[in-house]
Amino acid sequence: MKTPDTSWWRNGEGDESKSSASPSLMAVLATVLAVSIVFYWFRRVKNEARLLPPGPEGCRCSEIARTYGPVVSLRLGGRLCVLLSSPHAVKEALKDQDAIFANHDAPAASLFSPYGGKNMLYAPYGPQWRILRKVTVRQLLNPATIDGLSVPRQAEIRRMVEEIRGKAGQPVNLRELISAAAMNMTTEMLWGGSLAQRGDDRDALGGSSVRRWKTCLARPAGPGEEDAKNGLIDRLHLQFSHRGAVDDDGGLSGRRPGGGRGHEKQDFLQVMLDLVQNPDPQAPITMDHMKALLLDLVTGGTDTTSTTLEWAMAELLYDPERMKTAKEEIVTVVGVGNAVEETLRLHPAVPLLVPHRPSSTCTVAGYKIPEGTKVFINVWAIHRDPRVWEDASEFKPERFLREAGGADYSGNTFRYLPFGAGRRICPGISLGEGIVASPDLNEKFGIVMRKEKTLVAVPTLRIPQNI
Ligand code: HEM
């Protein structure tokens, strides 16, 4: 077989036009092609970048909104993140495009956490999330159930106040006490048990360990955090077995209706166990879903309420006049309502909300927000924006007096968002309110507190011990 003669381009022999013009033509074409590709790519990237919101290379979160405006893009590691910092931008996202923004952005670490993202907080918007949320709101977080459980809540507050009273004159770590009380109120509602009743040591399940456990979800756990997380899970399992809910091998055991609280009515744990045993074929609830949900409720209901109470006490201790007004309000009205509402404005427990993740590419305030972006709602900046609030950085509970329109927790004003807004708004608003605005946190029990540091306070008896 005759092989084609290719020597013309190897050794310069043969047809003259082939030997000199063709290689240079090829080189020119290749160069033009390469330049065109680079040019096209560069223009596309530039155009894409022009569609994205402006943003800093690196900056303090609190200053970003002031410097760059209400829609800002950031790179956190490899992730594109967007920060929305005006009521208008938040409305466009969480109301006008609520279905697109209905997913929370689950941190990668949450998938490796004990129940692997099966909780309500990080469940993708869909049938499983819907059933978890529906059963929680219908069976637990509705006003009637919450009202019905006010007696054990009051008892817990009274127990805490008694403990403070017993330490009159000594520095008291209020954070620890408030965290444990909030934890007890929540677990009492879920399965009718508390740390004190069990004699469990507070440190194992108390506020600090919950806080550390929550941090684990944001990043891979360090050695101490792993222990804290496991400690909490162990305690949860202990609660199940105390109540006879789970066999030693982790399977379900039959629990008597009434859930051990001694009431006719089933408690929430029993409702959930029934749901696991008789699953909805469209969205079956497993033991893992149930445990993940209970953990959600323990952590979601504890940290937020105790942080809010701690800030409210700190603000009141800082300003004795305000403390006096708050006490009068407690006596004449019911609870520390306005002080709590103002605390939730100045110190929102979840200042950037739980990040949302748009399920498709969309536009907010004229900027493109690509699908999968991590979107933070900058509640902290909105709550302190002088264009939105008069005397924005001052603690003024009177701004929420009923005559002034009161506080609106529904998330529909988009200027006041302590519980979020849209489809993922906090389902625990009534309970959260019930815990933080507990009317018995008052001097009826004989306490005034002088602020020492953050929230280590020194209680002083105003009424003698024997009364
Ligand atoms: C002062 C008290 C509380 C505050 C400030 C608060 C705040 C919030 C916020 C900001 C969110 C995220 C909303 C969003 O992403 O748009 C949230 C979600 C959630 N909260 Fe609360 N919360 C409080 C109390 C509670 C309580 C008492 C419970 C239950 C016992 C609870 C359970 C939850 C759950 C399960 C979610 C996830 C909802 C979902 O993903 O569909 N929270 N909360």
Side-chain angles (χ1 to χ4, degrees):
M1 196 172 75
K2 195 176 174 219
T3 45
D5 178 13
T6 56
S7 58
W8 58 270
W9 60 267
R10 266 190 265 116
N11 56 20
E13 288 169 11
D15 181 342
E16 204 175 290
S17 66
K18 275 184 191 164
S19 62
S20 58
S22 289
S24 49
L25 186 65
M26 293 274 289
V28 168
L29 279 177
T31 311
V32 168
L33 191 68
V35 169
S36 310
I37 289 172
V38 170
F39 182 70
Y40 172 76
W41 177 81
F42 190 68
R43 227 177 54 166
R44 220 183 118 189
V45 168
K46 220 171 139 191
N47 280 346
E48 289 261 321
R50 217 177 278 148
L51 292 173
L52 293 176
E57 292 291 316
C59 187
R60 283 178 55 178
C61 204
S62 55
E63 289 162 7
I64 292 175
R66 237 173 301 149
T67 313
Y68 293 92
V71 187
V72 171
S73 68
L74 301 161
R75 288 261 168 207
L76 298 182
R79 279 294 296 281
L80 173 66
C81 304
V82 164
L83 191 66
L84 303 182
S85 306
S86 80
H88 191 78
V90 175
K91 176 180 169 291
E92 267 195 52
L94 296 189
K95 179 158 190 253
D96 303 346
Q97 306 182 78
D98 60 338
I100 293 177
F101 281 86
N103 278 316
H104 277 152
D105 185 79
S110 74
L111 302 174
F112 299 99
S113 69
Y115 307 119
K118 290 195 175 72
N119 54 347
M120 189 201 306
L121 187 67
Y122 291 127
Y125 181 65
Q128 212 92 57
W129 168 80
R130 216 168 277 124
I131 195 161
L132 288 175
R133 182 143 176 147
K134 193 168 90 180
V135 72
T136 308
V137 171
R138 281 214 186 141
Q139 304 288 345
L140 180 75
L141 299 175
N142 63 76
T145 311
I146 290 165
D147 271 2
L149 288 168
S150 65
V151 173
R153 272 206 311 277
Q154 296 296 340
E156 185 56 41
I157 291 284
R158 206 159 288 149
R159 197 200 54 72
M160 181 183 84
V161 172
E162 280 306 324
E163 194 169 340
I164 297 172
R165 190 180 155 101
K167 292 181 178 163
Q170 309 162 32
V172 170
N173 186 332
L174 285 180
R175 170 175 298 179
E176 208 173 79
L177 287 181
I178 292 173
S179 287
M183 171 80 78
N184 283 347
M185 282 188 245
T186 315
T187 53
E188 172 64 39
M189 282 194 55
L190 295 174
W191 54 71
S194 69
L195 298 179
Q197 284 167 339
R198 305 256 170 274
D200 291 337
D201 67 311
R202 178 169 297 148
D203 197 40
L205 192 53
S208 61
S209 111
V210 172
R211 206 157 285 133
R212 277 156 65 200
W213 184 80
K214 284 186 93 180
T215 339
C216 300
L217 288 182
R219 62 197 154 87
E225 289 163 355
E226 193 57 47
D227 287 350
K229 181 173 69 179
N230 291 338
L232 187 58
I233 304 297
D234 288 349
R235 295 290 155 153
L236 187 62
H237 280 271
L238 198 68
Q239 295 288 4
F240 288 148
S241 47
H242 267 310
R243 304 293 307 278
V246 183
D247 296 333
D248 288 344
D249 61 3
L252 275 182
S253 73
R255 286 177 76 237
R256 64 188 167 79
R261 208 186 260 155
H263 302 172
E264 291 279 301
K265 206 173 169 300
Q266 292 187 330
D267 66 15
F268 186 68
L269 176 55
Q270 187 62 44
V271 171
M272 287 305 295
L273 286 167
D274 289 350
L275 206 66
V276 175
Q277 277 169 326
N278 308 296
D280 176 341
Q282 303 296 321
I285 297 294
T286 62
M287 277 297 275
D288 274 1
H289 284 111
M290 182 189 78
K291 291 179 193 169
L293 176 65
L294 291 172
L295 272 182
D296 250 6
L297 298 173
V298 174
T299 53
T302 303
D303 247 8
T304 48
T305 47
S306 57
T307 303
T308 305
L309 260 177
E310 192 185 348
W311 273 112
M313 294 302 282
E315 286 286 0
L316 292 172
L317 288 168
Y318 184 69
D319 185 344
E321 261 314 295
R322 294 237 177 271
M323 180 63 116
K324 195 164 157 265
T325 315
K327 281 176 195 159
E328 282 160 13
E329 195 187 312
I330 290 161
V331 175
T332 52
V333 198
V334 271
V336 282
N338 298 140
V340 165
E341 286 152 2
E342 179 66 339
T343 302
L344 283 166
R345 184 186 70 84
L346 270 186
H347 309 286
V350 196
L352 296 175
L353 297 191
V354 180
H356 288 246
R357 182 190 178 101
S359 53
S360 60
T361 299
C362 58
T363 305
V364 172
Y367 293 109
K368 172 179 158 180
I369 312 291
E371 174 187 349
T373 303
K374 198 179 188 98
V375 177
F376 295 100
I377 309 293
N378 200 348
V379 173
W380 196 91
I382 294 173
H383 283 188
R384 287 171 180 250
D385 188 338
R387 290 164 302 182
V388 177
W389 297 93
E390 206 175 299
D391 300 326
S393 49
E394 280 176 43
F395 185 76
K396 284 184 152 182
E398 59 274 19
R399 72 174 86 235
F400 287 113
L401 286 175
R402 210 157 285 153
E403 309 84 70
D408 183 347
Y409 289 143
S410 70
N412 288 330
T413 64
F414 302 100
R415 68 200 280 265
Y416 185 59
L417 300 159
F419 294 97
R423 295 185 192 209
R424 301 301 281 249
I425 192 170
C426 174
I429 298 179
S430 308
L431 177 60
E433 224 185 334
I435 295 176
V436 293
S438 295
D440 278 356
L441 253 185
N442 73 55
E443 67 170 357
K444 207 161 73 184
F445 294 92
I447 306 162
V448 219
M449 282 165 248
R450 181 163 49 81
K451 185 167 176 282
E452 197 175 70
K453 273 190 187 164
T454 319
L455 246 207
V456 175
V458 179
T460 313
L461 290 178
R462 287 174 59 108
I463 301 174
Q465 281 277 24
N466 54 357
I467 291 181

